Amino acid sequence: GVMEKLGLGPEVLLRENPRLIYARLTGFGQTGKYAKSAGHDINYLALSGVLSKLGRKSENPYAPVNLLGDFAGGGVMCAMGIVIALFERARSGRGQVIDASMVKGVAYLSSFLWKSQNLGFWSQPRGENLLDSGAPFYETYRTSDGKFMAVGALEPQFYKQLIKGLGLNLDELPAQMSFSDWPEMKKKFASIFAQKTQAEWCSMFDSTDACVTPVLSFDDVASHQHNKERSSFIKNDQGEISPRPAPVLSRTPAVPSCKRDPFIGEHTEEILLEYGFTKQEIAKLYSDKAIEFKKPKANL
């Protein structure tokens, strides 16, 4: 309701410009019992049903920072809605309002969980299934230097490579899909991974299809050979590293800026002058605390 209080709600603006695409990104949505309630990522995950699926056996559900709600179910789904509305407008010539609710966005992202329930993927309690840390061959393991390896050897041919790399004999082990043996197999795998460093395990598995990769920290990710060959990370003029924009388009790829991020208020005056405000008007806005200035200090 904030935009309505300012007299800039969608009904008003769409009368002015019927082609306008008006995106409303919220947690709980524009209507419903919680529409005007405060919330954060963890609350939206909880209401979507997804949070109930996240977590290890016998532990509380956990929220994976704020990637699922804010950015995936929120920002990305809202951006997709804008693109869809732009595509439709090319045919109809009309704009529309996008109700991008993080609860509904996350719920829709979880469609696979709903559609695969009858396939047996989620027949066990949380943390005991194939993809939620229940399986010994879909898990992370600590190495001798305190780092971790990620294992995703789901298919039999990949599992065979994993067992070979761990120095075990497949014929002497329980069947891969023997659920009752999974807890003991996890202990066995964990004890073996703990005997070598992450680098040693990488040298052993990098040339195989065992689906075993290092869990890279932010300090290490940009220097990893694969990421360097793909130019997956960029460095700005301050030496700060960040991911390169994705996905990559073949004909019109994004050209990332290597300038540092601007300070809040750094370009306020410059932009307002471009839009026709006078210096006196800008000074008045500043004295009224309607705008903020922040100039970077010179590096002397």
Side-chain angles (χ1 to χ4, degrees):
V2 174
M3 294 301 281
E4 280 80 359
K5 291 176 183 176
L6 297 172
L8 298 173
E11 295 81 5
V12 174
L13 296 186
L14 281 166
R15 280 200 302 269
E16 293 287 326
N17 178 9
R19 290 175 55 83
L20 182 68
I21 292 164
Y22 194 112
R24 311 202 80 165
L25 176 57
T26 61
F28 295 116
Q30 296 298 313
T31 58
K33 180 179 179 179
Y34 289 174
K36 298 185 182 301
S37 300
H40 280 296
D41 193 285
I42 194 169
N43 307 116
Y44 312 140
L45 291 187
L47 209 63
S48 73
V50 173
L51 188 58
S52 70
K53 296 291 186 183
L54 306 179
R56 292 185 175 276
K57 178 182 178 181
S58 303
E59 294 183 7
N60 295 353
Y62 74 90
V65 293
N66 65 330
L67 293 176
L68 265 182
D70 288 345
F71 301 114
V76 172
M77 295 295 281
C78 183
M80 186 171 73
I82 293 170
V83 171
I84 292 169
L86 284 168
F87 183 77
E88 192 280 335
R89 189 177 72 179
R91 299 180 176 183
S92 68
R94 299 172 60 198
Q96 54 188 311
V97 180
I98 299 164
D99 181 355
S101 153
M102 294 183 200
V103 173
K104 293 182 78 170
V106 172
Y108 183 58
L109 281 175
S110 72
S111 295
F112 165 69
L113 304 183
W114 292 90
K115 299 295 185 181
S116 62
Q117 285 187 102
N118 295 330
L119 300 180
F121 285 163
W122 316 109
S123 57
Q124 302 301 313
R126 182 180 65 250
E128 298 181 32
N129 298 282
L130 188 68
L131 301 177
D132 64 0
S133 79
F137 47 85
Y138 203 84
E139 177 62 288
T140 57
Y141 294 99
R142 183 184 291 270
T143 59
S144 63
D145 53 348
K147 297 182 179 180
F148 295 89
M149 298 297 290
V151 176
L154 290 171
E155 291 79 0
Q157 65 272 28
F158 301 151
Y159 183 71
K160 185 177 180 180
Q161 293 287 315
L162 168 66
I163 296 303
K164 180 181 178 182
L166 291 176
L168 298 171
N169 187 335
L170 193 64
D171 296 331
E172 298 174 357
L173 299 174
Q176 179 184 359
M177 299 306 292
S178 176
F179 297 99
S180 61
D181 291 301
W182 280 3
E184 201 57 41
M185 290 298 291
K186 287 180 76 169
K187 292 178 183 177
K188 184 184 290 288
F189 287 4
S191 66
I192 296 174
F193 272 107
Q195 295 171 17
K196 289 184 172 64
T197 66
Q198 186 187 71
E200 288 173 327
W201 285 120
C202 286
S203 66
M204 184 167 293
F205 282 114
D206 272 359
S207 59
T208 74
D209 276 336
C211 301
V212 179
T213 51
V215 178
L216 298 174
S217 69
F218 273 28
D219 292 332
D220 299 330
V221 68
S223 60
H224 188 273
Q225 182 180 352
H226 178 79
N227 291 331
K228 284 200 296 185
E229 291 173 358
R230 294 276 298 163
S231 300
S232 298
F233 294 84
I234 56 176
K235 188 179 291 187
N236 70 10
D237 53 14
Q238 303 289 304
E240 298 167 334
I241 295 173
S242 61
R244 181 178 292 272
V248 180
L249 305 184
S250 63
R251 189 170 52 80
T252 57
V255 180
S257 170
C258 288
K259 294 182 179 179
R260 61 159 175 79
D261 293 340
F263 300 120
I264 294 175
E266 181 177 347
H267 303 114
T268 301
E269 183 177 14
E270 179 184 333
I271 291 169
L272 291 177
L273 287 171
E274 284 182 13
Y275 275 87
F277 287 80
T278 66
K279 283 188 173 288
Q280 291 75 18
E281 289 171 329
I282 295 172
K284 179 67 166 57
L285 288 170
Y286 180 69
S287 65
D288 291 342
K289 297 184 178 180
I291 59 174
E292 183 178 342
F293 291 145
K294 183 168 183 181
K295 295 293 183 183
K297 294 180 180 178
N299 294 321
L300 301 177

